[in-house]
Amino acid sequence: MSKPLRAGLVGLGSMGRHHARVLAGLDGVDFVAVVDPMGDKFGAAQGVPVLNTVEELIALGVDYTVVACPTHLHEEVGLALAAAGVCALIEKPVADTVDGARRLVEAFESRGLVAGVGHIERCNPALRSLRARLEAGELGDVYQVVTRRQGPFPHRIADVGVVKDLATHDIDLTGWVTGREYVSIAAHTVSKSGREHEDMVSAVGRLDDGTMVNHLVNWLSPLKERFTSVTGERGCFIADTLTADLTFHSNAAVTTEWEALQAFRGVSEGDMIRYAIPKREPLQVEHELFRDAVLGEPADICTLRQGMRTVEVAAAVLRSASENVSVSLQPEDLALHGS
């Protein structure tokens, strides 16, 4: 057997602590050290050394590093790792600006390094099953994707608003499950919690095949909800990513004899199926996929370039809300506006 990969971690915040737990038990990986200037306040370092700087981690000799520090530090840390020839799994969003995301893409791609973004919803069992069923054509033509992601304000988030923190999940998963690109977006935001950043957004978009997209995301609800529905030719899939449940509501196959309804060329309620699917921890799956990618094996990870596209769409959401316009996400229009 080949020797284990040597892995490091930057950040022991709420997400970093989970990364540390998974890294410590990941087959084929030696968890080497953590970087956090604040130290191991929660006893989550799994017994590995806690360092003050990324340079100290690099000096230990690591094959890859998980970057789970605050979003505004992703670019600085990522560029240091790329310069040292270290692969990286960077928490989402990949950067807090489009330009920063672009610099990270160029840094890792120019050196031929494996790098990914921790868009963990791609590893949710319900969404993985949904994507496979869409790829198999079970829904026929896709008409609409609707997401709702709402809940109370997370006090751990201080450097970005709800668009970059939460809505990036929905932007990425929508493109990923459908295999399509956003071509336009229009949005409204509000800020009600006394912070400088927005805490609620409502967005309507269109994908490159004409599919309509709706996102409702907020930090202002006592109800925690993670809802994705995909409506198409043969019915509607509903994924609850809190419980990892996937349900299919089919169009009725029964012919109506009611003359008044026969003239309506719509659909009617049919059977409902709740699928029994294996429910592995998404973070464990994410780490296994990234480990395999570093080893050169086929692995469906979120690439930095895909992560950059999500940041582009998020920036367009904020621009739309600020300027009260619909924003085109065509490459030529992005170039025109410097995105």
Side-chain angles (χ1 to χ4, degrees):
M1 292 180 62
S2 60
K3 62 181 182 180
L5 294 171
R6 290 171 60 82
L9 170 65
V10 178
L12 276 174
S14 59
M15 197 64 201
R17 297 195 292 274
H18 290 294
H19 282 296
R21 170 180 55 82
V22 174
L23 281 169
L26 190 60
D27 289 340
V29 171
D30 280 344
F31 185 23
V32 175
V34 177
V35 176
D36 196 318
M38 302 296 290
D40 187 10
K41 297 187 297 182
F42 302 97
Q46 305 294 321
V48 304
V50 180
L51 312 174
N52 289 319
T53 68
V54 175
E55 288 70 27
E56 291 176 79
L57 177 63
I58 292 170
L60 291 179
V62 288
D63 298 298
Y64 75 90
T65 292
V66 178
V67 180
C69 52
T71 304
H72 71 278
L73 297 175
H74 286 185
E75 181 184 355
E76 175 187 343
V77 172
L79 292 179
L81 293 170
V86 178
C87 300
L89 173 60
I90 303 174
E91 260 302 335
K92 65 86 204 162
V94 62
D96 59 351
T97 67
V98 174
D99 286 342
R102 185 175 294 115
R103 284 188 287 268
L104 285 169
V105 169
E106 292 170 353
F108 283 93
E109 287 188 352
S110 65
R111 293 171 172 85
L113 296 169
V114 176
V117 186
H119 279 291
I120 197 167
E121 290 287 44
R122 293 188 178 208
C123 300
N124 188 285
L127 292 177
R128 291 180 73 81
S129 179
L130 169 56
R131 183 183 188 228
R133 293 177 185 280
L134 292 180
E135 288 180 336
E138 292 185 20
L139 194 60
D141 291 339
V142 175
Y143 302 151
Q144 183 183 51
V145 179
V146 175
T147 70
R148 296 195 303 270
R149 186 175 298 268
Q150 53 188 343
F153 175 71
H155 294 284
R156 62 184 175 82
I157 302 298
D159 57 340
V160 294
V162 75
V163 170
K164 290 182 179 179
D165 183 68
L166 275 193
T168 48
H169 278 302
D170 294 313
I171 292 167
D172 179 75
L173 76 84
T174 296
W176 180 70
V177 298
T178 61
R180 297 294 179 175
E181 293 276 353
Y182 285 77
V183 294
S184 67
I185 199 84
H188 295 284
T189 61
V190 296
S191 180
K192 297 291 186 181
S193 58
R195 300 167 68 251
E196 63 173 305
H197 300 294
E198 78 290 343
D199 43 36
M200 176 179 281
V201 60
S202 177
V204 178
R206 186 167 59 85
L207 305 182
D208 57 11
D209 64 344
T211 297
M212 179 185 294
V213 174
N214 300 78
H215 301 308
L216 177 63
V217 189
N218 74 63
W219 279 328
L220 298 174
S221 171
L223 166 69
K224 188 171 183 179
E225 184 180 34
R226 302 289 184 265
F227 170 95
T228 300
S229 72
V230 182
T231 301
E233 183 180 4
R234 296 177 185 145
C236 176
F237 283 111
I238 295 179
D240 182 334
T241 54
L242 285 177
T243 60
D245 288 327
L246 179 65
T247 305
F248 178 58
H249 297 258
S250 69
N251 294 343
V254 179
T255 303
T256 179
E257 296 181 4
W258 188 1
E259 185 177 352
L261 290 181
Q262 288 178 344
F264 173 65
R265 295 185 299 170
V267 300
S268 56
E269 186 177 8
D271 295 330
M272 182 183 76
I273 303 169
R274 179 178 173 274
Y275 297 104
I277 52 180
K279 295 183 179 180
R280 300 187 64 221
E281 182 186 4
L283 191 63
Q284 180 75 29
V285 174
E286 181 179 86
H287 274 272
E288 291 173 358
L289 289 172
F290 192 74
R291 173 202 62 197
D292 293 347
V294 174
L295 290 170
E297 299 174 8
D300 183 21
I301 66 171
C302 177
T303 66
L304 286 196
R305 192 165 287 276
Q306 291 168 340
M308 179 180 72
R309 180 59 173 176
T310 294
V311 174
E312 287 178 340
V313 178
V317 168
L318 291 172
R319 181 178 154 228
S320 171
S322 173
E323 301 178 9
N324 196 29
V325 295
S326 177
V327 176
S328 170
L329 284 150
Q330 303 285 6
E332 60 273 18
D333 293 320
L334 289 174
L336 180 65
H337 289 277
S339 297

